[in-house]
Amino acid sequence: MAATFFGEVVKAPCRAGTEDQEEEEDERRETAEDREVRRQLARKREVRLFRRQTKTSLEVSLLEKYPCSKFIIAIGNNAVAFLSSFVMNSGVWEEVGCAKLWNEWCRTTDTVHLSPTDAFCVFYHLKSNPSVLLCQCSCYVAEDQQYQWLDKVFGSCPRKNMQVTVLTCRHVTDYKTAESTSSLHSPFLKALKTENFKEPPCCSLLEQPNIVHDLPAAVLSYCQVWKIPAILYLCYTDVMKLDLITVGAFKPVLSSRSLKGLVKNIPQSTEILKKLMTTNEIQSNIYT
Amino acid sequence: MASRYDRAITVFSPDGHLFQVEYAQEAVKKGSTAVGIRGTDIVVLGVEKKSVAKLQDERTVRKICALDDHVCMAFAGLTADARVVIKRARVECQSHKLTVEDPVTVEYITRFIATLKQKYTQSNGRRPFGISALIVGFDDDGIPRLYQTDPSGTYHAWKANAIGRSAKTVQEFLEKNYTEDAIANDNEAIKLAIRALLEVVQSGGKNVELAIIRRNQPLKMFSAKEIELQVAEIEKEKEEAEKKKSKKTT
């Protein structure tokens, strides 16, 4: 207790440590209610992998059930649109799994009945060559969910004889450079690869001190630790929403070994892309 | 470092940046593309029309606005900011006419808009205008003018320029293709503006809006049909150029 100038008595915190401290510790100890809330939150944020057709969840990791030699992952709407129009329009792709997850960035509050239009991860393999696996991830995977996602997809002991290619976008203002950002010609592509990836990349490597964030970083780190050859193609753009020019910036990747054999019909791809643009246009009157 | 100096407009960072002004320039890039071309006897403004919602009246979504009979402007960026700037500019045009009995010069009204924008980069409690503008017109001396302003309050005269999304791509196209031949006559200047826009417009000619001012004539907005005709002509010329090229190689 302490007295102020005006004579009022106030409770002042004591650094010496008195019996008051025990009361505070009791308050800080977790109650059963706290534990229950924490359990419910963990259940809500669980990453679930299942087959949409049969509605059954996968007992093993995806790559254990569907081993592959090429794994292409698109993260973000522009990368997903690129794969949809340039890669998935040639050949027949079969859906082999779907990852359902919820976090604060999701637009829906219902975590059980996610509709097909809700953004999440879908996995496909090429029917004519099942060793090629593709992932379209248009949802945000939070930091605490990344480990679960990697565990459910790659498993705890992944094969080393596969090549992973990741495509994603980032806003150009995140790109650190000595030049001024107004002189940068965006969108532009940068690459970051693991030690075991020996092929030459399709664009220049990402310079220091730039870093990669979120799920692409988690995938690359995982591949580096497990010595899997992996490369990330990161497109820096000033338009984060679905945009024809940003998607077009990924075109150099079509000449890479992973994608070369998969792309057949480029003019048709441009048409498919234009259709995707018009169906996905969100009305906003703030900017004209 | 940026986060400590980017909250207040009136604070410089240690390396001399005014981050709010730079962020306002990012807001401009969110608007659709606008291109301006200064010809010999014509000035052309072309914009990428934003797709309008089904139930929305198209007339209320205009990127090209007349400031006076002989001056007009196109903008890119925040719609509401543009409305405020256009209103102030229009009032100033009439006030000038009443005070000095002469219509404004294009440079005068550009300087007015630029000064207004600069004031908002130096005031407490206000943010900069999030728009860039292309102002075109003819002065009394009959010379065509094209000016561009940006959120920092600077303005420059240009022969041809573009603002908004993908402006860099259009600027590169203009640098390569703006020649004396390309603006030799009015029709060529109009075609150059449409070709520049088609480089970045996502669904072709039907998303392009065009306005021209000819010497001693009022602003003319092109109808959708007129633009279609121009686009068809451009495509024909492209095909012929490609045929010639393939003949040369064989």
Side-chain angles (χ1 to χ4, degrees):
Chain A
M1 299 301 215
T4 65
F5 180 79
F6 301 101
E8 52 186 310
V9 174
V10 295
K11 185 171 179 180
C14 172
R15 287 179 296 178
T18 60
E19 29 189 71
D20 288 341
Q21 210 178 0
E22 280 175 25
E23 278 174 29
E24 285 169 26
E25 267 182 26
D26 275 331
E27 280 168 20
R28 266 188 261 122
R29 217 173 285 145
E30 223 176 42
T31 61
E33 195 185 336
D34 290 334
R35 277 196 289 278
E36 183 54 32
V37 166
R38 224 182 285 281
R39 248 199 305 271
Q40 278 187 15
L41 203 60
R43 238 196 324 265
K44 207 175 175 188
R45 295 176 76 84
E46 208 183 299
V47 177
R48 289 183 282 271
L49 212 60
F50 62 102
R51 289 211 63 158
R52 273 199 286 203
Q53 299 92 325
T54 55
K55 292 196 181 152
T56 50
S57 31
L58 265 69
E59 304 86 25
V60 293
S61 72
L62 191 82
L63 290 187
E64 267 179 66
K65 191 158 172 123
Y66 301 100
C68 66
S69 58
K70 278 188 201 175
F71 189 14
I72 306 161
I73 310 175
I75 302 171
N77 52 3
N78 282 301
V80 163
F82 173 74
L83 281 192
S84 297
S85 33
F86 285 87
V87 176
M88 294 183 72
N89 73 332
S90 10
V92 180
W93 293 84
E94 188 191 1
E95 188 181 314
V96 295
C98 168
K100 199 164 83 168
L101 55 94
W102 178 88
N103 53 49
E104 294 75 20
W105 282 266
C106 286
R107 297 258 167 93
T108 175
T109 44
D110 185 347
T111 57
V112 176
H113 306 104
L114 280 175
S115 75
T117 49
D118 286 319
F120 46 104
C121 293
V122 192
F123 300 88
Y124 303 90
H125 74 180
L126 191 56
K127 250 187 161 167
S128 56
N129 182 5
S131 72
V132 179
L133 206 66
L134 198 140
C135 167
Q136 304 270 55
C137 181
S138 43
C139 62
Y140 176 72
V141 182
E143 283 111 22
D144 57 312
Q145 295 171 314
Q146 282 159 17
Y147 174 76
Q148 279 189 64
W149 192 96
L150 287 169
D151 191 46
K152 298 249 159 84
V153 174
F154 284 85
S156 43
C157 200
R159 283 168 50 160
K160 293 185 187 29
N161 53 347
M162 70 167 160
Q163 195 180 77
V164 177
T165 308
V166 186
L167 305 174
T168 191
C169 281
R170 193 86 190 159
H171 200 279
V172 71
T173 47
D174 278 345
Y175 183 66
K176 294 174 185 54
T177 170
E179 301 168 42
S180 114
T181 43
S182 54
S183 64
L184 283 175
H185 193 313
S186 64
F188 56 91
L189 216 55
K190 289 286 174 188
L192 193 63
K193 58 188 180 80
T194 59
E195 211 178 315
N196 288 62
F197 189 91
K198 300 298 178 198
E199 273 169 50
C202 306
C203 59
S204 53
L205 290 176
L206 187 64
E207 310 90 346
Q208 287 200 359
N210 291 292
I211 60 171
V212 179
H213 302 79
D214 305 326
L215 187 63
V219 171
L220 267 190
S221 308
Y222 183 92
C223 293
Q224 172 69 6
V225 164
W226 287 101
K227 297 189 172 31
I228 302 170
I231 186 162
L232 162 70
Y233 287 106
L234 176 53
C235 175
Y236 282 101
T237 174
D238 48 8
V239 182
M240 286 308 285
K241 66 177 181 95
L242 199 58
D243 172 59
L244 203 67
I245 297 182
T246 306
V247 174
F250 282 110
K251 279 191 190 155
V253 182
L254 296 174
S255 58
S256 70
R257 207 178 65 141
S258 324
L259 295 183
K260 219 181 214 166
L262 302 172
V263 182
K264 287 181 183 83
N265 202 341
I266 294 190
Q268 198 189 38
S269 313
T270 325
E271 284 311 308
I272 296 177
L273 191 57
K274 282 193 180 154
K275 259 194 208 146
L276 266 174
M277 295 289 155
T278 42
T279 48
N280 279 294
E281 238 163 41
I282 306 167
Q283 270 308 313
S284 163
N285 289 315
I286 304 178
Y287 300 99
T288 303
Chain B
M1 188 171 78
S3 55
R4 284 163 60 199
Y5 301 99
D6 65 1
R7 297 288 176 253
I9 178 61
T10 52
V11 173
F12 274 107
S13 72
D15 57 347
H17 285 279
L18 273 175
F19 283 111
Q20 280 299 313
V21 175
E22 292 180 21
Y23 298 165
Q25 279 161 345
E26 290 299 315
V28 170
K29 290 188 198 166
K30 288 187 137 58
S32 57
T33 322
V35 70
I37 302 220
R38 186 185 82 194
T40 341
D41 304 309
I42 189 175
V43 284
V44 187
L45 276 180
V47 299
E48 178 186 354
K49 219 165 39 179
K50 221 180 64 147
S51 55
V52 177
K54 248 186 180 167
L55 299 172
Q56 195 172 45
D57 189 339
E58 219 182 86
R59 287 174 307 163
T60 49
V61 187
R62 284 263 181 262
K63 263 172 88 83
I64 302 178
C65 312
L67 299 180
D68 203 344
D69 298 326
H70 62 297
V71 187
C72 77
M73 87 172 221
F75 65 90
L78 287 160
T79 324
D81 285 8
R83 193 185 64 231
V84 168
V85 168
I86 289 168
K87 181 181 171 221
R88 298 276 281 269
R90 284 173 172 167
V91 167
E92 179 61 21
C93 286
Q94 299 314 307
S95 171
H96 185 278
K97 214 186 270 188
L98 289 167
T99 317
V100 304
E101 296 180 4
D102 273 331
V104 293
T105 59
V106 185
E107 202 259 342
Y108 175 91
I109 195 63
T110 307
R111 200 168 359 109
F112 173 81
I113 292 173
T115 312
L116 174 66
K117 284 183 176 180
Q118 192 280 337
K119 272 201 199 113
Y120 279 65
T121 68
Q122 229 174 358
S123 293
N124 220 349
R126 300 192 203 189
R127 60 162 177 79
F129 283 104
I131 64 161
S132 278
L134 289 172
I135 301 154
V136 296
F138 279 85
D139 288 337
D140 262 346
D141 54 10
I143 300 181
R145 312 254 183 220
L146 163 65
Y147 287 92
Q148 186 231 339
T149 66
D150 66 20
S152 61
T154 56
Y155 71 96
H156 299 277
W158 291 80
K159 293 180 190 165
N161 200 7
I163 53 175
R165 185 164 48 222
S166 320
K168 265 232 152 64
T169 315
V170 179
Q171 278 163 0
E172 281 180 7
F173 175 87
L174 289 170
E175 278 172 16
K176 278 193 210 134
N177 294 280
Y178 185 94
T179 55
E180 291 310 316
D181 286 335
I183 53 151
N185 64 48
D186 295 354
N187 212 22
E188 290 300 309
I190 293 169
K191 275 205 220 134
L192 180 63
I194 298 179
R195 276 165 52 213
L197 271 178
L198 289 177
E199 292 283 305
V200 296
V201 161
Q202 295 186 0
S203 14
K206 60 178 165 35
N207 269 15
V208 168
E209 211 166 64
L210 203 81
I212 59 166
I213 302 185
R214 289 196 164 102
R215 193 176 287 114
N216 298 325
Q217 287 183 34
L219 167 73
K220 175 178 187 278
M221 295 286 299
F222 271 43
S223 65
K225 227 179 182 174
E226 285 169 313
I227 298 177
E228 244 181 75
L229 284 166
Q230 292 283 354
V231 171
E233 247 186 77
I234 290 170
E235 277 174 2
K236 211 171 145 193
E237 282 171 12
K238 221 178 178 177
E239 270 177 39
E240 284 171 6
E242 270 169 23
K243 273 191 195 151
K244 264 190 193 164
K245 225 184 185 178
S246 56
K247 268 191 190 159
K248 267 189 187 167
T249 50
T250 54

